[in-house]
């Protein structure tokens, strides 16, 4: 499976539209242990895609869905990382740390 997905984004396309295209592309491969992927731009969370094993995955925008995609993703890179079962964006502290 590819590790990168390249999409052309028109000047008028919204962030929500881009996220829906990613969710429907089957690029994010979900399983019983990987059911949520969080999208980041420059380290900041902007989206989440949740597995829906009966239909297409569900895309959730954290950044405004109606914002121009090029404004939300100015550098052109949207990275996805697998989320924990609690789908938290907060970093986990190391064990034994205060």
């Amino acid at each position: 499976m590819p590790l990168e997905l390249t999409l052309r984004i028109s000047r008028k396309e919204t962030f929500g539209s881009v996220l829906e295209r990613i969710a429907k592309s089957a690029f994010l491969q979900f399983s019983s242990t990987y059911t949520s992927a969080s999208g980041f731009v420059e380290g900041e969370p902007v989206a989440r895609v949740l597995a829906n094993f009966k239909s297409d995955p569900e895309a959730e925008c954290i950044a405004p869905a109606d914002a121009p995609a090029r404004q939300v993703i100015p550098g052109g890179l949207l990275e996805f990382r697998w989320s924990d079962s609690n789908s938290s964006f907060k970093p986990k502290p190391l064990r034994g740390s205060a």
Side-chain angles (χ1 to χ4, degrees):
M1 298 307 295
L3 297 176
E4 292 183 6
L5 174 67
T6 303
L7 299 173
R8 293 194 186 273
I9 299 173
S10 72
R11 291 179 191 214
K12 295 181 180 180
E13 189 167 13
T14 65
F15 177 63
S17 171
V18 170
L19 191 57
E20 285 294 325
R21 289 199 295 145
I22 292 169
K24 291 180 179 180
S25 72
F27 172 72
L28 298 170
Q29 300 293 305
F30 296 102
S31 69
S32 62
T33 55
Y34 295 110
T35 60
S36 175
S38 300
F40 295 84
V41 173
E42 298 176 0
E44 293 297 318
V46 294
R48 183 171 38 224
V49 179
L50 305 169
N52 183 343
F53 296 106
K54 295 182 181 180
S55 63
D56 289 332
E58 297 177 30
E60 295 180 351
C61 293
I62 296 169
D66 58 351
R70 291 183 177 190
Q71 179 181 337
V72 177
I73 316 167
L77 180 63
L78 172 60
E79 294 182 282
F80 281 90
R81 301 178 205 147
W82 296 112
S83 304
D84 301 27
S85 59
N86 69 2
S87 299
S88 174
F89 291 115
K90 297 178 183 175
K92 291 183 177 178
L94 297 174
R95 289 184 186 194
S97 64

